[in-house]
PDB file of all heavy atoms in Angstrom:
ATOM      1  N   PRO Y  54     -47.315  -0.583  44.664  1.00 97.00           N
ATOM      2  CA  PRO Y  54     -46.931  -1.367  43.479  1.00 97.00           C
ATOM      3  C   PRO Y  54     -48.002  -2.363  43.045  1.00 97.00           C
ATOM      4  O   PRO Y  54     -48.273  -2.511  41.857  1.00 97.00           O
ATOM      5  CB  PRO Y  54     -45.659  -2.109  43.921  1.00 97.00           C
ATOM      6  CG  PRO Y  54     -45.155  -1.363  45.097  1.00 97.00           C
ATOM      7  CD  PRO Y  54     -46.354  -0.744  45.754  1.00 97.00           C
ATOM      8  N   GLU Y  55     -48.624  -3.015  44.006  1.00 97.00           N
ATOM      9  CA  GLU Y  55     -49.664  -3.998  43.685  1.00 97.00           C
ATOM     10  C   GLU Y  55     -50.872  -3.328  43.019  1.00 97.00           C
ATOM     11  O   GLU Y  55     -51.446  -3.884  42.075  1.00 97.00           O
ATOM     12  CB  GLU Y  55     -50.102  -4.740  44.954  1.00 97.00           C
ATOM     13  CG  GLU Y  55     -49.016  -5.594  45.570  1.00 97.00           C
ATOM     14  CD  GLU Y  55     -48.029  -4.827  46.445  1.00 97.00           C
ATOM     15  OE1 GLU Y  55     -48.237  -3.623  46.740  1.00 97.00           O
ATOM     16  OE2 GLU Y  55     -47.017  -5.438  46.838  1.00 97.00           O
ATOM     17  N   LEU Y  56     -51.252  -2.149  43.509  1.00 97.00           N
ATOM     18  CA  LEU Y  56     -52.369  -1.422  42.901  1.00 97.00           C
ATOM     19  C   LEU Y  56     -52.063  -1.089  41.449  1.00 97.00           C
ATOM     20  O   LEU Y  56     -52.876  -1.349  40.560  1.00 97.00           O
ATOM     21  CB  LEU Y  56     -52.657  -0.123  43.672  1.00 97.00           C
ATOM     22  CG  LEU Y  56     -53.625   0.824  42.949  1.00 97.00           C
ATOM     23  CD1 LEU Y  56     -55.047   0.367  43.150  1.00 97.00           C
ATOM     24  CD2 LEU Y  56     -53.432   2.243  43.388  1.00 97.00           C
ATOM     25  N   VAL Y  57     -50.908  -0.522  41.211  1.00 98.00           N
ATOM     26  CA  VAL Y  57     -50.548  -0.121  39.845  1.00 98.00           C
ATOM     27  C   VAL Y  57     -50.471  -1.347  38.938  1.00 98.00           C
ATOM     28  O   VAL Y  57     -51.031  -1.342  37.842  1.00 98.00           O
ATOM     29  CB  VAL Y  57     -49.214   0.660  39.830  1.00 98.00           C
ATOM     30  CG1 VAL Y  57     -48.774   0.954  38.398  1.00 98.00           C
ATOM     31  CG2 VAL Y  57     -49.337   1.952  40.637  1.00 98.00           C
ATOM     32  N   GLU Y  58     -49.809  -2.391  39.383  1.00 97.00           N
ATOM     33  CA  GLU Y  58     -49.644  -3.575  38.557  1.00 97.00           C
ATOM     34  C   GLU Y  58     -50.967  -4.279  38.263  1.00 97.00           C
ATOM     35  O   GLU Y  58     -51.162  -4.813  37.168  1.00 97.00           O
ATOM     36  CB  GLU Y  58     -48.651  -4.534  39.204  1.00 97.00           C
ATOM     37  CG  GLU Y  58     -47.232  -3.973  39.180  1.00 97.00           C
ATOM     38  CD  GLU Y  58     -46.268  -4.677  40.112  1.00 97.00           C
ATOM     39  OE1 GLU Y  58     -46.669  -5.621  40.839  1.00 97.00           O
ATOM     40  OE2 GLU Y  58     -45.092  -4.271  40.126  1.00 97.00           O
ATOM     41  N   SER Y  59     -51.904  -4.271  39.208  1.00 97.00           N
ATOM     42  CA  SER Y  59     -53.178  -4.962  38.985  1.00 97.00           C
ATOM     43  C   SER Y  59     -54.184  -4.111  38.214  1.00 97.00           C
ATOM     44  O   SER Y  59     -54.876  -4.621  37.338  1.00 97.00           O
ATOM     45  CB  SER Y  59     -53.783  -5.424  40.308  1.00 97.00           C
ATOM     46  OG  SER Y  59     -54.173  -4.314  41.094  1.00 97.00           O
ATOM     47  N   ARG Y  60     -54.278  -2.822  38.517  1.00 97.00           N
ATOM     48  CA  ARG Y  60     -55.288  -1.961  37.887  1.00 97.00           C
ATOM     49  C   ARG Y  60     -54.803  -1.273  36.612  1.00 97.00           C
ATOM     50  O   ARG Y  60     -55.602  -0.909  35.759  1.00 97.00           O
ATOM     51  CB  ARG Y  60     -55.744  -0.882  38.867  1.00 97.00           C
ATOM     52  CG  ARG Y  60     -56.479  -1.392  40.064  1.00 97.00           C
ATOM     53  CD  ARG Y  60     -57.988  -1.303  39.940  1.00 97.00           C
ATOM     54  NE  ARG Y  60     -58.427   0.045  39.687  1.00 97.00           N
ATOM     55  CZ  ARG Y  60     -59.175   0.377  38.618  1.00 97.00           C
ATOM     56  NH1 ARG Y  60     -59.541  -0.522  37.738  1.00 97.00           N
ATOM     57  NH2 ARG Y  60     -59.559   1.619  38.442  1.00 97.00           N
ATOM     58  N   PHE Y  61     -53.485  -1.073  36.501  1.00 98.00           N
ATOM     59  CA  PHE Y  61     -52.939  -0.317  35.375  1.00 98.00           C
ATOM     60  C   PHE Y  61     -51.718  -1.031  34.788  1.00 98.00           C
ATOM     61  O   PHE Y  61     -50.598  -0.540  34.896  1.00 98.00           O
ATOM     62  CB  PHE Y  61     -52.571   1.110  35.821  1.00 98.00           C
ATOM     63  CG  PHE Y  61     -53.725   1.843  36.409  1.00 98.00           C
ATOM     64  CD1 PHE Y  61     -53.912   1.875  37.784  1.00 98.00           C
ATOM     65  CD2 PHE Y  61     -54.652   2.466  35.597  1.00 98.00           C
ATOM     66  CE1 PHE Y  61     -55.001   2.536  38.333  1.00 98.00           C
ATOM     67  CE2 PHE Y  61     -55.750   3.118  36.138  1.00 98.00           C
ATOM     68  CZ  PHE Y  61     -55.928   3.160  37.507  1.00 98.00           C
ATOM     69  N   PRO Y  62     -51.942  -2.182  34.153  1.00 97.00           N
ATOM     70  CA  PRO Y  62     -50.810  -2.938  33.620  1.00 97.00           C
ATOM     71  C   PRO Y  62     -50.050  -2.191  32.523  1.00 97.00           C
ATOM     72  O   PRO Y  62     -48.916  -2.540  32.207  1.00 97.00           O
ATOM     73  CB  PRO Y  62     -51.451  -4.224  33.092  1.00 97.00           C
ATOM     74  CG  PRO Y  62     -52.884  -3.880  32.892  1.00 97.00           C
ATOM     75  CD  PRO Y  62     -53.219  -2.825  33.907  1.00 97.00           C
ATOM     76  N   GLN Y  63     -50.643  -1.149  31.970  1.00 97.00           N
ATOM     77  CA  GLN Y  63     -49.969  -0.361  30.939  1.00 97.00           C
ATOM     78  C   GLN Y  63     -48.988   0.647  31.548  1.00 97.00           C
ATOM     79  O   GLN Y  63     -48.239   1.297  30.825  1.00 97.00           O
ATOM     80  CB  GLN Y  63     -50.980   0.330  30.018  1.00 97.00           C
ATOM     81  CG  GLN Y  63     -51.849   1.383  30.680  1.00 97.00           C
ATOM     82  CD  GLN Y  63     -53.116   0.863  31.328  1.00 97.00           C
ATOM     83  OE1 GLN Y  63     -53.091  -0.078  32.109  1.00 97.00           O
ATOM     84  NE2 GLN Y  63     -54.234   1.514  31.042  1.00 97.00           N
ATOM     85  N   ALA Y  64     -48.976   0.757  32.868  1.00 98.00           N
ATOM     86  CA  ALA Y  64     -48.014   1.620  33.573  1.00 98.00           C
ATOM     87  C   ALA Y  64     -46.877   0.762  34.110  1.00 98.00           C
ATOM     88  O   ALA Y  64     -47.006  -0.452  34.234  1.00 98.00           O
ATOM     89  CB  ALA Y  64     -48.712   2.363  34.718  1.00 98.00           C
ATOM     90  N   ARG Y  65     -45.779   1.417  34.433  1.00 97.00           N
ATOM     91  CA  ARG Y  65     -44.630   0.720  35.003  1.00 97.00           C
ATOM     92  C   ARG Y  65     -44.380   1.223  36.415  1.00 97.00           C
ATOM     93  O   ARG Y  65     -44.585   2.397  36.708  1.00 97.00           O
ATOM     94  CB  ARG Y  65     -43.350   1.007  34.204  1.00 97.00           C
ATOM     95  CG  ARG Y  65     -43.371   0.586  32.800  1.00 97.00           C
ATOM     96  CD  ARG Y  65     -42.019   0.746  32.117  1.00 97.00           C
ATOM     97  NE  ARG Y  65     -41.639   2.140  31.875  1.00 97.00           N
ATOM     98  CZ  ARG Y  65     -40.538   2.711  32.340  1.00 97.00           C
ATOM     99  NH1 ARG Y  65     -39.704   2.050  33.109  1.00 97.00           N
ATOM    100  NH2 ARG Y  65     -40.250   3.960  32.054  1.00 97.00           N
ATOM    101  N   VAL Y  66     -43.915   0.336  37.274  1.00 98.00           N
ATOM    102  CA  VAL Y  66     -43.505   0.721  38.630  1.00 98.00           C
ATOM    103  C   VAL Y  66     -41.990   0.617  38.697  1.00 98.00           C
ATOM    104  O   VAL Y  66     -41.410  -0.396  38.310  1.00 98.00           O
ATOM    105  CB  VAL Y  66     -44.135  -0.194  39.706  1.00 98.00           C
ATOM    106  CG1 VAL Y  66     -43.601   0.155  41.088  1.00 98.00           C
ATOM    107  CG2 VAL Y  66     -45.654  -0.092  39.668  1.00 98.00           C
ATOM    108  N   VAL Y  67     -41.366   1.677  39.176  1.00 98.00           N
ATOM    109  CA  VAL Y  67     -39.930   1.689  39.412  1.00 98.00           C
ATOM    110  C   VAL Y  67     -39.731   1.803  40.919  1.00 98.00           C
ATOM    111  O   VAL Y  67     -40.165   2.787  41.524  1.00 98.00           O
ATOM    112  CB  VAL Y  67     -39.245   2.864  38.687  1.00 98.00           C
ATOM    113  CG1 VAL Y  67     -37.770   2.968  39.073  1.00 98.00           C
ATOM    114  CG2 VAL Y  67     -39.402   2.732  37.177  1.00 98.00           C
ATOM    115  N   ALA Y  68     -39.136   0.793  41.512  1.00 97.00           N
ATOM    116  CA  ALA Y  68     -38.881   0.815  42.956  1.00 97.00           C
ATOM    117  C   ALA Y  68     -37.703   1.743  43.240  1.00 97.00           C
ATOM    118  O   ALA Y  68     -36.729   1.781  42.493  1.00 97.00           O
ATOM    119  CB  ALA Y  68     -38.570  -0.585  43.455  1.00 97.00           C
ATOM    120  N   SER Y  69     -37.834   2.487  44.343  1.00 97.00           N
ATOM    121  CA  SER Y  69     -36.781   3.429  44.707  1.00 97.00           C
ATOM    122  C   SER Y  69     -36.704   3.535  46.222  1.00 97.00           C
ATOM    123  O   SER Y  69     -37.730   3.511  46.907  1.00 97.00           O
ATOM    124  CB  SER Y  69     -37.081   4.805  44.106  1.00 97.00           C
ATOM    125  OG  SER Y  69     -36.105   5.744  44.469  1.00 97.00           O
ATOM    126  N   ALA Y  70     -35.494   3.676  46.726  1.00 96.00           N
ATOM    127  CA  ALA Y  70     -35.345   4.016  48.138  1.00 96.00           C
ATOM    128  C   ALA Y  70     -35.921   5.415  48.328  1.00 96.00           C
ATOM    129  O   ALA Y  70     -35.855   6.242  47.417  1.00 96.00           O
ATOM    130  CB  ALA Y  70     -33.871   3.992  48.530  1.00 96.00           C
ATOM    131  N   ASN Y  71     -36.493   5.670  49.476  1.00 96.00           N
ATOM    132  CA  ASN Y  71     -37.091   6.988  49.709  1.00 96.00           C
ATOM    133  C   ASN Y  71     -35.999   7.986  50.087  1.00 96.00           C
ATOM    134  O   ASN Y  71     -35.665   8.170  51.246  1.00 96.00           O
ATOM    135  CB  ASN Y  71     -38.159   6.917  50.797  1.00 96.00           C
ATOM    136  CG  ASN Y  71     -38.926   8.221  50.892  1.00 96.00           C
ATOM    137  OD1 ASN Y  71     -38.558   9.222  50.294  1.00 96.00           O
ATOM    138  ND2 ASN Y  71     -40.004   8.204  51.642  1.00 96.00           N
ATOM    139  N   ARG Y  72     -35.473   8.614  49.070  1.00 97.00           N
ATOM    140  CA  ARG Y  72     -34.457   9.653  49.258  1.00 97.00           C
ATOM    141  C   ARG Y  72     -35.001  11.007  48.847  1.00 97.00           C
ATOM    142  O   ARG Y  72     -34.243  11.903  48.481  1.00 97.00           O
ATOM    143  CB  ARG Y  72     -33.213   9.309  48.464  1.00 97.00           C
ATOM    144  CG  ARG Y  72     -32.529   8.054  48.979  1.00 97.00           C
ATOM    145  CD  ARG Y  72     -31.197   7.829  48.300  1.00 97.00           C
ATOM    146  NE  ARG Y  72     -30.595   6.623  48.825  1.00 97.00           N
ATOM    147  CZ  ARG Y  72     -30.145   5.635  48.070  1.00 97.00           C
ATOM    148  NH1 ARG Y  72     -30.221   5.709  46.748  1.00 97.00           N
ATOM    149  NH2 ARG Y  72     -29.610   4.576  48.627  1.00 97.00           N
ATOM    150  N   GLY Y  73     -36.326  11.127  48.855  1.00 95.00           N
ATOM    151  CA  GLY Y  73     -36.961  12.402  48.560  1.00 95.00           C
ATOM    152  C   GLY Y  73     -37.574  12.464  47.173  1.00 95.00           C
ATOM    153  O   GLY Y  73     -37.363  11.602  46.317  1.00 95.00           O
ATOM    154  N   PHE Y  74     -38.339  13.531  46.973  1.00 96.00           N
ATOM    155  CA  PHE Y  74     -39.105  13.736  45.754  1.00 96.00           C
ATOM    156  C   PHE Y  74     -38.204  13.906  44.529  1.00 96.00           C
ATOM    157  O   PHE Y  74     -38.430  13.301  43.480  1.00 96.00           O
ATOM    158  CB  PHE Y  74     -40.015  14.952  45.940  1.00 96.00           C
ATOM    159  CG  PHE Y  74     -40.893  15.252  44.773  1.00 96.00           C
ATOM    160  CD1 PHE Y  74     -41.923  14.394  44.432  1.00 96.00           C
ATOM    161  CD2 PHE Y  74     -40.692  16.394  44.017  1.00 96.00           C
ATOM    162  CE1 PHE Y  74     -42.748  14.672  43.351  1.00 96.00           C
ATOM    163  CE2 PHE Y  74     -41.510  16.678  42.940  1.00 96.00           C
ATOM    164  CZ  PHE Y  74     -42.535  15.819  42.603  1.00 96.00           C
ATOM    165  N   ALA Y  75     -37.175  14.718  44.639  1.00 97.00           N
ATOM    166  CA  ALA Y  75     -36.285  14.955  43.495  1.00 97.00           C
ATOM    167  C   ALA Y  75     -35.575  13.671  43.081  1.00 97.00           C
ATOM    168  O   ALA Y  75     -35.460  13.373  41.881  1.00 97.00           O
ATOM    169  CB  ALA Y  75     -35.271  16.041  43.832  1.00 97.00           C
ATOM    170  N   HIS Y  76     -35.128  12.897  44.049  1.00 98.00           N
ATOM    171  CA  HIS Y  76     -34.461  11.632  43.741  1.00 98.00           C
ATOM    172  C   HIS Y  76     -35.424  10.697  43.010  1.00 98.00           C
ATOM    173  O   HIS Y  76     -35.053  10.043  42.026  1.00 98.00           O
ATOM    174  CB  HIS Y  76     -33.943  10.968  45.019  1.00 98.00           C
ATOM    175  CG  HIS Y  76     -33.277   9.659  44.782  1.00 98.00           C
ATOM    176  ND1 HIS Y  76     -33.940   8.457  44.905  1.00 98.00           N
ATOM    177  CD2 HIS Y  76     -32.018   9.356  44.408  1.00 98.00           C
ATOM    178  CE1 HIS Y  76     -33.107   7.471  44.618  1.00 98.00           C
ATOM    179  NE2 HIS Y  76     -31.942   7.989  44.322  1.00 98.00           N
ATOM    180  N   GLY Y  77     -36.670  10.635  43.477  1.00 98.00           N
ATOM    181  CA  GLY Y  77     -37.665   9.797  42.811  1.00 98.00           C
ATOM    182  C   GLY Y  77     -37.893  10.220  41.368  1.00 98.00           C
ATOM    183  O   GLY Y  77     -37.989   9.386  40.469  1.00 98.00           O
ATOM    184  N   ASN Y  78     -37.989  11.521  41.130  1.00 98.00           N
ATOM    185  CA  ASN Y  78     -38.150  12.012  39.759  1.00 98.00           C
ATOM    186  C   ASN Y  78     -36.952  11.639  38.898  1.00 98.00           C
ATOM    187  O   ASN Y  78     -37.104  11.228  37.746  1.00 98.00           O
ATOM    188  CB  ASN Y  78     -38.341  13.535  39.747  1.00 98.00           C
ATOM    189  CG  ASN Y  78     -39.760  13.919  40.037  1.00 98.00           C
ATOM    190  OD1 ASN Y  78     -40.693  13.408  39.436  1.00 98.00           O
ATOM    191  ND2 ASN Y  78     -39.939  14.834  40.964  1.00 98.00           N
ATOM    192  N   ASN Y  79     -35.759  11.765  39.452  1.00 98.00           N
ATOM    193  CA  ASN Y  79     -34.558  11.392  38.706  1.00 98.00           C
ATOM    194  C   ASN Y  79     -34.535   9.900  38.393  1.00 98.00           C
ATOM    195  O   ASN Y  79     -34.126   9.499  37.305  1.00 98.00           O
ATOM    196  CB  ASN Y  79     -33.297  11.803  39.470  1.00 98.00           C
ATOM    197  CG  ASN Y  79     -33.067  13.291  39.419  1.00 98.00           C
ATOM    198  OD1 ASN Y  79     -33.445  13.961  38.459  1.00 98.00           O
ATOM    199  ND2 ASN Y  79     -32.458  13.822  40.456  1.00 98.00           N
ATOM    200  N   ARG Y  80     -34.980   9.059  39.336  1.00 98.00           N
ATOM    201  CA  ARG Y  80     -35.050   7.610  39.096  1.00 98.00           C
ATOM    202  C   ARG Y  80     -35.995   7.314  37.927  1.00 98.00           C
ATOM    203  O   ARG Y  80     -35.704   6.489  37.070  1.00 98.00           O
ATOM    204  CB  ARG Y  80     -35.520   6.869  40.349  1.00 98.00           C
ATOM    205  CG  ARG Y  80     -34.488   6.774  41.436  1.00 98.00           C
ATOM    206  CD  ARG Y  80     -33.457   5.681  41.184  1.00 98.00           C
ATOM    207  NE  ARG Y  80     -34.115   4.379  41.213  1.00 98.00           N
ATOM    208  CZ  ARG Y  80     -34.014   3.468  40.238  1.00 98.00           C
ATOM    209  NH1 ARG Y  80     -33.280   3.688  39.186  1.00 98.00           N
ATOM    210  NH2 ARG Y  80     -34.641   2.326  40.330  1.00 98.00           N
ATOM    211  N   GLY Y  81     -37.131   7.975  37.912  1.00 98.00           N
ATOM    212  CA  GLY Y  81     -38.069   7.779  36.808  1.00 98.00           C
ATOM    213  C   GLY Y  81     -37.502   8.262  35.483  1.00 98.00           C
ATOM    214  O   GLY Y  81     -37.630   7.595  34.456  1.00 98.00           O
ATOM    215  N   LEU Y  82     -36.861   9.415  35.503  1.00 98.00           N
ATOM    216  CA  LEU Y  82     -36.280   9.980  34.285  1.00 98.00           C
ATOM    217  C   LEU Y  82     -35.206   9.064  33.706  1.00 98.00           C
ATOM    218  O   LEU Y  82     -35.100   8.930  32.480  1.00 98.00           O
ATOM    219  CB  LEU Y  82     -35.704  11.366  34.579  1.00 98.00           C
ATOM    220  CG  LEU Y  82     -35.108  12.121  33.398  1.00 98.00           C
ATOM    221  CD1 LEU Y  82     -36.160  12.350  32.319  1.00 98.00           C
ATOM    222  CD2 LEU Y  82     -34.512  13.434  33.870  1.00 98.00           C
ATOM    223  N   GLU Y  83     -34.435   8.420  34.566  1.00 97.00           N
ATOM    224  CA  GLU Y  83     -33.396   7.500  34.103  1.00 97.00           C
ATOM    225  C   GLU Y  83     -33.958   6.367  33.251  1.00 97.00           C
ATOM    226  O   GLU Y  83     -33.250   5.810  32.410  1.00 97.00           O
ATOM    227  CB  GLU Y  83     -32.658   6.873  35.289  1.00 97.00           C
ATOM    228  CG  GLU Y  83     -31.769   7.802  36.046  1.00 97.00           C
ATOM    229  CD  GLU Y  83     -31.233   7.183  37.334  1.00 97.00           C
ATOM    230  OE1 GLU Y  83     -31.700   6.106  37.750  1.00 97.00           O
ATOM    231  OE2 GLU Y  83     -30.337   7.801  37.918  1.00 97.00           O
TER     232      GLU Y  83
END
Side-chain angles (χ1 to χ4, degrees):
E55 295 82 9
L56 169 80
V57 174
E58 291 165 359
S59 67
R60 294 262 303 123
F61 303 96
Q63 65 273 51
R65 299 187 289 122
V66 175
V67 173
S69 178
N71 189 350
R72 294 188 180 128
F74 182 68
H76 179 264
N78 278 310
N79 286 330
R80 286 281 295 127
L82 182 60
E83 289 171 349

